[in-house]
Amino acid sequence: QYTVTIVKNDRSEFRFEVSELHVEYGENDNTYELKVTGVGDTSDEVTFSVIEGEDVVDVDADTGMLTIKKAGEARIQASVEESALWNARIATCEITVDKAEQSDMGFSENTPDSFVYSETPYDTIQITGVKSTGKLTCNVTAGADVITDLSLDSSTGKIIFRPLKSGKFTIEVISTADECYQEKVLTKEFEITKAQQDTFAFEQGNTPEIKYNGSVYNGTINTFRNLAIDAKGEGAVTYSIVEGSDVVSIDGATGVLSIHKAGKVKVQAHKEENDCYNSKTISYELEIKKADQEIVFQKGESISLYYGQAGEAYVNAVESVSNGVLPDLGVGKGEITYRIDGENPLQ
């Protein structure tokens, strides 16, 4: 005679298939199916629960489907209750979730590398792919004298700045870490190039015409000024004669011409470059036409003479209407000649 004692199975092989799960936030859509082995009687139900790190993960009690909430550490427990043939048993799985890199964060493909100087702000630098909910900031790490008023709209990722002058500058953008993502730092060098003097032009156009003795500037006859206007930025404007230096002379600082005679001249204005704008040279062509000389006879154009007035010479010279002096004393340098049209009754 002997006695047989039957004891319940201890489920010594009951465990998670993976006892330690080390993942990065965002992988596998943040979901994992946790499986156990060694249950014994397949009809016995396994229950899953989070025993540490409920803020990090969640688990479906029936299926063991794990959902990642954020980076951190957690512990999952699987338990099976005692049955007629099997003892109760528990197993644990250690979960480690690392913060993910913000690998998609960067400057947008449409962000230019350089900008032409402008007196109005630019808003064409765009940051994309930001994952962290942490603070998003930007600052200038080089070339702080090149731009000003730098700002970043964290809701849109748009960076705004205003150029001060030409030159290179570097922007640093920082997306600080949150519970799921690591900190990400971006740096990029940009350049402000000089703008063109597009508005630089002559006040009276490029082809003015005047007459000799017909132009007065600042009360001085035979002077002329076609001012170069709308130059941008610092830097002097200087004037010079390209053609016709025998016709006029010029004040290089003011552009005022002193007219010597009729003819054609070409005048050039040069705007020096500065920190913001390139240099520019423009020119105009001026035609100085000869003046009209209006002269009249001193005693009129219709006279009567009596024959026989011996010993008396008759003089009816011409004079200038404009200044009342005799032509041979200075209106023009051309010779004045007289003639009698028709039969000469004086011979």
Side-chain angles (χ1 to χ4, degrees):
Q1 177 179 348
Y2 61 90
T3 301
V4 177
T5 302
I6 300 174
V7 298
K8 294 181 179 182
N9 191 301
D10 200 33
R11 303 188 209 251
S12 60
E13 297 299 319
F14 182 66
R15 65 182 184 275
F16 280 93
E17 290 184 355
V18 177
S19 61
E20 293 182 359
L21 183 64
H22 195 158
V23 299
E24 184 178 275
Y25 181 84
E27 289 181 347
N28 206 49
D29 292 331
N30 284 325
T31 57
Y32 298 87
E33 185 179 1
L34 301 180
K35 296 181 179 181
V36 294
T37 187
V39 176
D41 189 343
T42 57
S43 63
D44 291 342
E45 293 183 356
V46 178
T47 302
F48 298 88
S49 61
V50 180
I51 57 176
E52 290 181 16
E54 291 184 351
D55 58 332
V56 176
V57 298
D58 192 13
V59 69
D60 187 291
D62 298 322
T63 65
M65 187 62 70
L66 181 73
T67 301
I68 306 296
K69 296 179 179 179
K70 67 175 186 178
E73 295 182 348
R75 180 179 293 172
I76 306 299
Q77 176 178 282
S79 62
V80 59
E81 295 182 354
E82 183 181 4
S83 65
L85 299 176
W86 302 84
N87 284 323
R89 193 78 176 183
I90 62 172
T92 59
C93 177
E94 303 292 335
I95 308 295
T96 301
V97 182
D98 293 334
K99 291 183 179 182
E101 295 182 1
Q102 298 189 67
S103 55
D104 294 333
M105 177 179 165
F107 293 93
S108 72
E109 294 181 355
N110 297 327
T111 297
D113 294 325
S114 63
F115 304 84
V116 177
Y117 174 81
S118 171
E119 295 177 2
T120 57
Y122 277 102
D123 61 354
T124 51
I125 298 179
Q126 183 76 42
I127 304 300
T128 59
V130 178
K131 298 292 187 180
S132 173
T133 58
K135 191 174 182 180
L136 187 65
T137 61
C138 70
N139 58 84
V140 179
T141 59
D145 59 333
V146 175
I147 66 169
T148 189
D149 298 338
L150 178 69
S151 65
L152 188 154
D153 186 334
S154 59
S155 64
T156 63
K158 183 175 289 187
I159 294 175
I160 300 174
F161 68 92
R162 182 170 60 85
L164 291 175
K165 64 176 185 177
S166 61
K168 294 182 179 181
F169 65 98
T170 301
I171 288 180
E172 178 184 73
V173 179
I174 302 174
S175 174
T176 57
D178 64 3
E179 294 180 328
C180 301
Y181 292 94
Q182 300 175 28
E183 179 177 282
K184 180 70 175 283
V185 179
L186 300 175
T187 58
K188 185 175 177 63
E189 184 181 73
F190 299 93
E191 183 175 8
I192 303 295
T193 60
K194 293 182 179 182
Q196 302 299 325
Q197 294 272 0
D198 294 330
T199 59
F200 189 46
F202 286 106
E203 190 174 41
Q204 299 187 49
N206 295 330
T207 55
E209 294 183 356
I210 60 174
K211 284 187 176 183
Y212 185 81
N213 274 353
S215 177
V216 177
Y217 178 76
N218 272 355
T220 303
I221 194 168
N222 277 330
T223 57
F224 175 78
R225 188 187 193 192
N226 191 4
L227 182 65
I229 58 174
D230 293 335
K232 299 292 187 180
E234 297 178 353
V237 176
T238 56
Y239 300 83
S240 61
I241 299 171
V242 179
E243 298 174 6
S245 57
D246 59 329
V247 178
V248 297
S249 55
I250 192 169
D251 184 320
T254 65
V256 175
L257 300 180
S258 296
I259 301 169
H260 307 315
K261 65 178 182 178
K264 292 183 178 180
V265 298
K266 187 174 183 179
V267 177
Q268 173 178 287
H270 176 75
K271 176 67 172 69
E272 293 180 352
E273 68 175 350
N274 52 57
D275 287 341
C276 303
Y277 293 91
N278 286 317
S279 63
K280 187 170 185 178
T281 301
I282 57 177
S283 62
Y284 71 89
E285 294 182 356
L286 172 67
E287 182 177 3
I288 305 167
K289 296 184 176 181
K290 292 182 178 181
D292 297 325
Q293 295 196 72
E294 295 187 21
I295 58 176
V296 296
F297 286 98
Q298 291 176 325
K299 297 180 179 179
E301 297 181 0
S302 179
I303 59 174
S304 297
L305 294 176
Y306 293 99
Y307 181 78
Q309 294 176 330
E312 294 184 14
Y314 181 80
V315 178
N316 189 7
V318 297
E319 65 180 359
S320 167
V321 172
S322 59
N323 57 16
V325 301
L326 293 176
D328 59 346
L329 295 181
V331 172
K333 297 182 179 180
E335 183 182 1
I336 298 176
T337 60
Y338 299 86
R339 73 171 186 270
I340 296 175
D341 290 335
E343 184 179 353
N344 184 356
L346 303 178
Q347 292 179 345

